[in-house]
Amino acid sequence: MNALHSAVVVYFEDTVLFLTRVSFFVLGVIVLLLQACASGSPAIDSPQVSSSNEITLNLPDQTLAPCVDDQNVGVDYTYLEKGFSAMVAGDNVEAVNYFRRYQRLESSPGADWEAGIAIAYEKMLPDSPYYNWRAAADAYRRLMRRVPEGIELNQQVLILGGTLAVLVELHDYIDELQNEKDDLSENLEKREEALKRLRELILGQ
């Protein structure tokens, strides 16, 4: 029984470790994408949201040039871009400050949504002082229920949103596995205790 308990624990720990590594790989990919887009302030049409809250990016049909600047007139992306730069540099506090400043100064549904996605993403980063994956997941789901319609959204934010969706799903799965592991461990402990009492009864007789 102890061997079974150990095997189950090792299995779940290995699964959680694998998913954690996958999440860090995704983080690395998004950093590379942000660096590739750092020279401009592209924006594209709002994402189409399906009933399952999945993001479909309406990217231009350009395989090697996804960061074309559409010149979204009337929106100043200065602080948003500075936030991206701070994020890539690993300065999470400064990045959030820039995102909040962008949100406050632009004061529009689009800017509010974009800043919300960026800040939620920051809360998903393990090295960030704001790290709280549950709060990030709640914020993401809330934002996806009210995606601005009829306006252009920043492409880099949409990339963050797509990555955030993957990370939310990964963390939900890891949390589910952890709960299953805890339940199984508790059941095994109860069985071991029952077997122990049974042995004592047999030896007593």
Side-chain angles (χ1 to χ4, degrees), residues 88-100:
V88 172
D91 192 344
N92 304 104
V93 174
E94 191 69 8
V96 170
N97 287 338
Y98 278 127
F99 293 143
R100 287 173 175 167

Side-chain angles (χ1 to χ4, degrees), residues 17-72:
L17 179 60
F18 169 75
L19 291 174
T20 302
R21 288 176 176 172
V22 171
S23 66
F24 277 108
F25 172 76
V26 174
L27 293 179
V29 172
I30 192 61
V31 168
L32 293 176
L33 289 173
L34 288 174
Q35 288 175 329
C37 297
S39 60
S41 308
I44 61 174
D45 291 338
S46 304
Q48 297 177 350
V49 183
S50 67
S51 58
S52 60
N53 286 336
E54 295 178 350
I55 294 181
T56 301
L57 301 182
N58 298 320
L59 296 175
D61 187 15
Q62 298 178 15
T63 304
L64 300 178
C67 301
V68 177
D69 191 351
D70 290 332
Q71 297 296 328
N72 191 10

Side-chain angles (χ1 to χ4, degrees), residues 69-82:
D69 191 351
D70 290 332
Q71 297 296 328
N72 191 10
V73 180
V75 179
D76 185 355
Y77 286 118
T78 300
Y79 289 118
L80 187 63
E81 292 292 344
K82 287 183 177 180

Side-chain angles (χ1 to χ4, degrees), residues 22-35 55 80 83-84 86-90 92 95-96 99 113-143 156-168 170-171:
V22 171
S23 66
F24 277 108
F25 172 76
V26 174
L27 293 179
V29 172
I30 192 61
V31 168
L32 293 176
L33 289 173
L34 288 174
Q35 288 175 329
I55 294 181
L80 187 63
F84 291 147
M87 179 187 293
V88 172
N92 304 104
V96 170
F99 293 143
W113 190 88
E114 290 167 340
I117 287 290
I119 293 172
Y121 184 83
E122 272 288 341
K123 293 180 181 179
M124 190 62 81
L125 300 177
D127 294 334
S128 172
Y130 304 102
Y131 177 69
N132 185 333
W133 78 264
R134 294 183 188 278
D138 289 342
Y140 168 77
R141 295 186 181 101
R142 183 174 62 254
L143 287 165
Q156 290 165 272
V157 172
L158 294 177
I159 293 174
L160 285 184
T163 306
L164 188 58
V166 175
L167 294 176
V168 167
L170 280 175
H171 278 78

